[in-house]
Amino acid sequence: MYRSARICRIIISLVAMAVPTWALAAGYNSVFVRMQILTALLSGVAAVVVFWAIVTLVYGRIYCSTVCPMGTAMDCVSQLSRLLRRRKSDYRYRPPLRRVSLVFLLLFVLSLLSGSALVPTLLDPYSAYARMVEEFLVRVIGHGGAATRFALASLAAAIVTAVTVVTVAWRHGRLLCNSICPIGTILGVGARRSYYHIEIDPDLCINCGECERVCKAGCIKLTDKTVDQARCVVCFDCTAVCPNGAINYKSGRHTLSTPMALKSR
């Protein structure tokens, strides 16, 4: 079941990346653009913001694993890294960088409140992705007219973004999503208590380490049998590789059939 869920999630994410890319190149306004959180905030479309808030509270950060094209681009880089580097690219649990996330979130919010969109568009994942597409694809093929004419500042921002994303995603998966991205930080607040979430069953876990090895968010702490829901992007990679069905996407919290104190004796 989880392998099928993972495949469906990958297909949706690739479509959600390909359609906006094509729309940007062709000069069309796709529905995926209107579904982006910062776009909704700047245009005052409260319904989109409310929609993603509800979705996150119920299902967790599926926005990050399906609709966000930058997240999908990071996953593509991560997957290529794993194919080329093999076991050297295994992931491990990383403590959350809460102070770093808070700093960038404050910059994001204060800039919006001041009426400036410069910092938000630099930090927003969709805006950053769109900038790379416009600079590396649209301007090269000569579509878009005056709106995509050469601008040194925009090109420099696109190059820095691309280099940063590829470099970090190559070795650390979704680290940028859980440290720099303000949208990820905001969604993480709701995902922390989402109704459906990834959870490890200690009664079934055999400590094989497969779930932690494939967790590109670095949010699975196998020693404690816990998943940091605020950083989990619900990609189903961990559930698909568990050999004993110990990690599941479910509602509620697992209750041990045997207390840990007794199991350790």
Side-chain angles (χ1 to χ4, degrees):
M1 179 182 72
Y2 287 122
R3 286 186 174 87
S4 298
R6 178 175 178 268
I7 292 172
C8 289
R9 194 272 307 167
I10 291 173
I11 292 173
I12 293 172
S13 67
L14 290 174
V15 171
M17 181 175 70
V19 172
T21 302
W22 170 81
L24 286 167
Y28 294 115
N29 183 20
S30 89
V31 65
F32 288 101
V33 176
R34 297 190 292 273
M35 291 177 65
Q36 301 303 320
I37 293 176
L38 181 62
T39 302
L41 283 173
L42 293 178
S43 58
V45 183
V48 174
V49 178
V50 172
F51 169 78
W52 283 118
I54 295 173
V55 167
T56 303
L57 287 171
V58 177
Y59 299 106
R61 286 175 56 181
I62 61 172
Y63 169 90
C64 301
S65 60
T66 56
V67 178
C68 178
M70 182 65 85
T72 302
M74 291 180 185
D75 289 347
C76 291
V77 173
S78 300
Q79 184 61 30
L80 179 62
S81 172
R82 292 180 63 79
L83 290 173
L84 297 179
R85 299 168 63 215
R86 297 181 182 275
R87 301 292 293 190
K88 292 181 181 180
S89 61
D90 288 355
Y91 301 118
R92 289 291 180 265
Y93 173 80
R94 293 185 300 268
L97 300 175
R98 291 193 178 93
R99 291 183 180 179
V100 176
S101 300
L102 181 59
V103 168
F104 282 97
L105 178 59
L106 285 174
L107 286 173
F108 180 83
V109 173
L110 291 175
S111 296
L112 283 178
L113 292 177
S114 69
S116 172
L118 177 60
V119 173
T121 54
L122 286 174
L123 296 177
D124 174 59
Y126 176 78
S127 300
Y129 179 80
R131 187 181 304 109
M132 291 192 299
V133 171
E134 289 172 353
E135 292 297 330
F136 302 148
L137 177 62
V138 179
R139 190 168 63 82
V140 172
I141 63 179
H143 290 177
T148 59
R149 287 185 300 181
F150 175 78
L152 184 59
S154 180
L155 178 61
I159 292 174
V160 170
T161 300
V163 171
T164 302
V165 167
V166 171
T167 301
V168 177
W170 185 267
R171 296 186 61 86
H172 304 292
R174 288 291 192 109
L175 179 60
L176 289 177
C177 294
N178 290 321
S179 57
I180 304 299
C181 178
I183 301 301
T185 301
I186 293 171
L187 294 178
V189 175
R192 191 181 300 276
R193 296 294 179 184
S194 62
Y195 183 74
Y196 290 102
H197 53 273
I198 300 292
E199 185 158 316
I200 301 174
D201 184 342
D203 291 324
L204 296 177
C205 180
I206 58 176
N207 290 302
C208 65
E210 287 298 302
C211 58
E212 186 178 17
R213 182 179 66 82
V214 300
C215 181
K216 57 204 171 197
C219 65
I220 297 178
K221 193 173 185 180
L222 200 56
T223 54
D224 296 341
K225 305 292 189 297
T226 58
V227 179
D228 186 348
Q229 307 300 335
R231 292 187 289 154
C232 175
V233 296
V234 197
C235 63
F236 296 113
D237 286 357
C238 57
T239 56
V241 299
C242 181
N244 208 39
I247 185 164
N248 293 280
Y249 183 60
K250 60 190 289 291
S251 61
R253 302 292 170 180
H254 179 75
T255 302
L256 286 172
S257 60
T258 304
M260 292 298 289
L262 295 178
K263 293 181 72 175
S264 62
R265 291 180 181 179

